[in-house]
Amino acid sequence: MNLFLSLLSAAALFATTCYTHAQDKAPVNAGPYVPSPTSVVADMLTLADVGPKDFVIDLGSGDGRIVLTAAKVFGARGFGVDINEKLVRDANESAKIQGIADRASFSIQDLFKTDISKATVLTMYLLPNTVNMLKGKLLAELKPGTRIISHDYGLADWWAAKTITMDLEDKIAISGVTTTIIFLYKVPAKFAGSWSAKLPATISKGPVNLDLTAHLVTRVRGKARIGGKDVGVEEGLMNGEVLKFKLLVGGKYFDFVGTVKDGSIEGTVEGEGLKPATWSASTAK
Ligand SMILES: C[S@@+](CC[C@H](N)C(=O)[O-])C[C@H]1O[C@@H](n2cnc3c(N)ncnc32)[C@H](O)[C@@H]1O
């Protein structure tokens, strides 16, 4: 068992003591306080491509270093939540000292009950089981395109858009090993289901039934019914609101790109003998 995990039982007791706002029962302890090394914080925010337009939420914010760095160095805004009162007080104090209290704030709050819908970037350094307990909440509350960054522990059965793996001596004191992984995920727009598509006449003269399913959350699988035959969706990928896939029709490949929004898809398709042309789809009734 690594050090991070073994610190949990001590931290659980500490967190329960610190959380004095207990309404009904103490929150689930999502991880002990161990700060991400400053170089990892910079790498996490760089991997998420954080900028002045971003709103960063750190679940279990510790001394606030992720949101403070996002505001101070990357020009973003945001907030952090933690159940440890002292850490929240220290983080707000640091924001004041650094002159960024208008853009970075911290509150004593259970991360499982925090409204995360404002985030454009969500960060976490939590225990592996906690990260996975949050999957439903992340998909339900975050907007399509929101970047999720997780330090060391990934979301099971969720395709990462990117990962960075490195060895860091600083991590020995935290986890007992030098290995450090940063995972980047992007929240997909809801695309799974049946669509009625209008394609250029070169591909199909009549409307096409497109059935799409999600694999590992952002991979797209399915089939299109064209000319009485099922054609498999190939290389399907959802990147935020952007859907991409290929169809092999009449021996020719066609590349589709589309934006999925509010129950419709609008996009372009091109391929052999077909210059970029528009296509669209709406949810099949
Ligand atoms: C590993 S530390 C990460 C600190 C910071 N995000 C960083 O990367 O430096 C995890 C933090 O989560 C907090 N925490 C644990 N359970 C929580 C819960 N249910 N709600 C809010 N914070 C929680 C702990 O108090 C601790 O500060």
Side-chain angles (χ1 to χ4, degrees):
M1 187 193 291
N2 72 33
L3 273 173
F4 184 51
L5 297 175
S6 62
L7 278 167
L8 177 62
S9 48
L13 181 66
F14 183 59
T16 310
T17 317
C18 288
Y19 191 83
T20 52
H21 289 243
Q23 297 91 348
D24 26 340
K25 55 181 178 161
V28 171
N29 192 282
Y33 174 56
V34 272
S36 298
T38 49
S39 69
V40 175
V41 172
D43 288 340
M44 289 166 81
L45 297 170
T46 303
L47 184 61
D49 198 18
V50 171
K53 289 190 182 145
D54 282 311
F55 195 91
V56 179
I57 297 180
D58 187 26
L59 294 180
S61 46
D63 67 359
R65 57 183 61 202
I66 293 179
V67 177
L68 291 169
T69 309
K72 184 95 183 163
V73 182
F74 294 76
R77 290 175 305 132
F79 69 75
V81 297
D82 206 292
I83 43 174
N84 182 320
E85 279 189 21
K86 181 180 177 322
L87 288 170
V88 168
R89 227 180 11 252
D90 290 351
N92 278 322
E93 195 51 39
S94 300
K96 236 188 260 168
I97 291 167
Q98 294 178 32
I100 50 173
D102 56 333
R103 288 186 291 123
S105 62
F106 303 88
S107 51
I108 305 160
Q109 221 177 102
D110 182 356
L111 63 89
F112 293 98
K113 295 185 180 154
T114 300
D115 178 353
I116 55 172
S117 57
K118 245 183 118 174
T120 58
V121 174
L122 183 123
T123 58
M124 47 192 179
Y125 182 26
L126 300 168
L127 288 168
N129 64 325
T130 308
V131 166
N132 284 297
M133 277 162 72
L134 286 167
K135 282 194 297 190
K137 180 176 173 69
L138 301 176
L139 276 179
E141 291 183 32
L142 296 175
K143 295 177 286 293
T146 303
R147 290 95 81 201
I148 299 168
I149 293 282
S150 187
H151 177 183
D152 272 353
Y153 304 109
L155 297 164
D157 302 323
W158 193 321
W159 190 279
K162 269 189 191 154
T163 55
I164 298 180
T165 306
M166 62 196 137
D167 283 312
L168 270 188
E169 290 301 318
D170 294 4
K171 288 297 279 293
I172 294 193
I174 297 170
S175 56
V177 290
T178 55
T179 313
T180 299
I181 311 175
I182 305 171
F183 297 86
L184 165 70
Y185 302 94
K186 269 198 197 164
V187 176
K190 288 183 180 47
F191 64 90
S194 281
W195 298 86
S196 175
K198 212 167 154 248
L199 308 185
T202 335
I203 304 175
S204 173
K205 296 210 164 36
V208 166
N209 200 61
L210 187 60
D211 281 318
L212 301 179
T213 56
H215 171 65
L216 301 177
V217 182
T218 55
R219 303 274 119 176
V220 182
R221 288 183 176 170
K223 57 183 185 323
R225 186 90 185 150
I226 299 176
K229 282 190 198 147
D230 282 340
V231 178
V233 165
E234 296 183 40
E235 298 176 33
L237 176 66
M238 200 63 204
N239 182 357
E241 289 179 335
V242 180
L243 167 69
K244 282 188 181 175
F245 63 90
K246 288 178 194 285
L247 290 179
L248 179 63
V249 184
K252 294 175 184 170
Y253 268 110
F254 294 96
D255 292 303
F256 289 76
V257 181
T259 302
V260 182
K261 212 169 186 175
D262 304 327
S264 73
I265 309 176
E266 305 278 343
T268 55
V269 50
E270 59 183 292
E272 218 185 304
L274 178 67
K275 288 192 184 133
T278 58
W279 71 283
S280 64
S282 53
T283 322
K285 305 248 154 55

